[in-house]
Amino acid sequence: MKYPTLTYLGRAGDFKPIRSMISIVDDKEVLVESCKRILECDEIKCSIISHGYLIEVWGSELSVSSFANGSAAISGRIQSLSIERRRSSEALI
């Protein structure tokens, strides 16, 4: 039996799976894992970059209650959440 030969000339990091998990607890908290950067956070909107996605949390009395181990916890009165895929050039912002 002949086995196929696999060749790959890219970086080893290209094989690493990238997953981002978002947990929503009632309308009080959103936890975003694998968070790369917090772009902005004020009383009504919190914007986060996570592996090529822009995640926006809208609500009132919002604050980032935790930013540890690559995860961000947004607390307050959550009203909506939007996720937008970023182009590779924008993902670095």
Side-chain angles (χ1 to χ4, degrees):
M1 172 183 252
K2 186 175 181 179
Y3 293 101
T5 303
L6 298 175
T7 59
Y8 181 73
L9 300 175
R11 300 183 319 230
D14 292 342
F15 286 115
K16 184 171 60 171
I18 297 173
R19 294 187 186 253
S20 227
M21 187 163 167
I22 300 172
S23 302
I24 302 171
V25 180
D26 295 327
D27 63 345
K28 295 175 178 37
E29 184 176 57
V30 174
L31 176 66
V32 181
E33 295 180 358
S34 301
C35 179
K36 291 287 188 182
R37 176 186 283 173
I38 298 173
L39 293 179
E40 71 174 294
C41 189
D42 56 33
E43 292 276 322
I44 60 170
K45 176 182 162 187
C46 194
S47 300
I48 295 172
I49 295 289
S50 178
H51 291 294
Y53 290 92
L54 172 64
I55 300 164
E56 293 181 332
V57 179
W58 292 87
S60 58
E61 302 173 13
L62 297 181
S63 65
V64 177
S65 59
S66 175
F67 185 64
N69 297 328
S71 296
I74 297 103
S75 300
R77 178 97 172 157
I78 310 300
Q79 294 175 345
S80 68
L81 180 87
S82 66
I83 302 170
E84 176 185 335
R85 182 156 179 87
R86 307 297 289 198
R87 294 183 301 210
S88 60
S89 62
E90 292 176 332
L92 300 175
I93 296 174

